[in-house]
Amino acid sequence: MTTIYLAEDQEMLNTALATLLGLEDDLEVIGTAPDGQTALSEIISKKPQIAILDIEMPKLSGLDMAEQINLLGLPTKVIILTTFARATYFEQAVKANVNGYLLKDNPTDQLVRTIHEVLDGKTIFSPELVTTIISAEKNPLTKRELDVLREIKTGKNSKEIAKSVFLSDGTVRNYISSILSKTGTSSRIEALNIAEKNKWI
């Protein structure tokens, strides 16, 4: 029987996930907590085989917990379960030697499969997450171009953007032209959509 600990600040999700995992013949949820500090204390004492942690929680984040579990040399393997596909979170998770990193919109059977794969010594990252991170790393836009895109997002025209970022109207238009070229788009809205999808802004 594989022992599991759940840490998730949304009580309803915590309960639902515990129930779903408890339906598996070879999985047993031995504890849950709505905050990182409580969860870490119980993980240290109970030493579950798997800890499934949310990233953003009160007192200690899931990534803070993962770092502590790694530093303490606990036998518990860590799976991060989150809604956030951010490059910075992913990098911190890798540094903390997490064993799995899944998005919350993945089906439950994928989580169950990941639990078994992690127990077998594998490291599992959600394909959707990896795609997002790779896209983020390939951001072709300069800091100034990103500044202009953020202003476009507010609905400003070229002249208003120029005033906000202290540039001439012509320079802003050049930046916009460069943004469209680099993103392979024909409109500001398309370029903005691509930047947001790839988490560049």
Side-chain angles (χ1 to χ4, degrees):
M1 185 69 75
T2 300
T3 53
I4 297 172
Y5 195 95
L6 297 174
E8 160 65 57
D9 64 347
Q10 295 181 39
E11 190 173 338
M12 187 179 294
L13 184 55
N14 225 347
T15 303
L17 197 52
T19 301
L20 287 169
L21 293 177
L23 295 174
E24 300 293 319
D25 294 336
D26 58 347
L27 303 180
E28 180 188 3
V29 178
I30 61 171
T32 66
D35 70 86
Q37 190 66 63
T38 301
L40 182 60
S41 297
E42 295 198 352
I43 287 168
I44 290 171
S45 63
K46 294 183 177 182
K47 294 182 174 60
Q49 289 166 276
I50 299 281
I52 299 174
L53 313 176
D54 186 22
I55 283 187
E56 294 196 346
M57 289 187 292
K59 299 180 183 178
L60 275 180
S61 73
L63 292 173
D64 291 333
M65 290 175 61
E67 288 177 356
Q68 287 300 311
I69 289 168
N70 185 44
L71 288 171
L72 293 168
L74 297 177
T76 303
K77 293 182 181 293
V78 173
I79 296 173
I80 296 290
L81 194 62
T82 183
T83 54
F84 304 103
R86 295 179 187 167
T88 51
Y89 282 166
F90 184 73
E91 289 164 8
Q92 193 177 341
V94 170
K95 286 179 183 176
N97 290 321
V98 304
N99 306 95
Y101 196 119
L102 298 180
L103 299 175
K104 286 182 181 177
D105 56 6
N106 290 138
T108 307
D109 60 349
Q110 185 174 341
L111 174 58
V112 172
R113 188 165 61 251
T114 297
I115 289 169
H116 290 126
E117 289 174 326
V118 162
L119 285 171
D120 287 338
K122 297 177 182 177
T123 300
I124 307 296
F125 296 134
S126 168
E128 298 90 341
L129 173 73
V130 174
T131 300
T132 299
I133 300 307
I134 290 172
S135 297
E137 289 176 349
K138 291 183 177 179
N139 177 7
L141 303 180
T142 65
K143 182 181 180 300
R144 266 305 197 185
E145 288 166 351
L146 292 172
D147 288 341
V148 169
L149 259 185
R150 290 188 187 95
E151 295 298 324
I152 289 172
K153 186 177 179 179
T154 67
K156 294 176 182 173
N157 60 34
S158 297
K159 288 184 179 179
E160 291 168 332
I161 293 171
K163 189 174 181 181
S164 293
V165 297
F166 306 105
L167 294 171
S168 70
D169 186 20
T171 300
V172 168
R173 288 181 182 276
N174 287 339
Y175 276 131
I176 292 172
S177 177
S178 177
I179 290 167
L180 297 184
S181 175
K182 288 180 178 180
T183 56
T185 55
S186 57
S187 75
R188 300 178 184 191
I189 298 303
E190 284 179 36
L192 183 60
N193 287 340
I194 285 177
E196 290 183 323
K197 181 181 178 182
N198 288 323
K199 313 293 182 186
W200 297 342
I201 60 173

